[in-house]
Amino acid sequence: MSGTSADQTSCLIRKVLREHARIPTPVDELGDDADLYRAGMTSLACVSVMLALEDAFSIEFPDHLLQKQTFINIHSIRAALTEASRGEKT
């Protein structure tokens, strides 16, 4: 994720959410702090989002980040991606 701006990261997160979160609300209408579960994302869709994010950003979420709160909104997803990318060795 190094070299990726916050705007680029948010755009890619939103793309993954559009393709995998299965929420009825258009993702682009949600703020970065909007609760994705309240917007309609299920736990099954969350797993799909997590796997797609790992592929899109070439990272692996550490075990301690594999919890509901990590994927509750775009802001927390972006923070988790930042943390996960710091742990990746290239």
Side-chain angles (χ1 to χ4, degrees), residues 5-64:
S5 76
D7 285 345
Q8 290 172 320
T9 300
S10 290
C11 285
L12 190 48
I13 291 169
R14 287 179 184 279
K15 179 181 185 292
V16 167
L17 290 172
R18 277 192 297 276
E19 294 173 359
H20 299 278
R22 299 184 215 144
I23 57 176
T25 306
V27 172
D28 293 329
E29 292 179 12
L30 298 172
D32 284 359
D33 290 326
D35 186 321
L36 297 172
Y37 298 103
R38 285 190 182 194
M41 184 170 70
T42 64
S43 57
L44 182 60
C46 180
V47 171
S48 179
V49 166
M50 180 202 67
L51 294 172
L53 288 166
E54 287 184 334
D55 286 344
F57 288 93
S58 300
I59 56 94
E60 185 173 321
F61 289 105
D63 290 346
H64 74 276

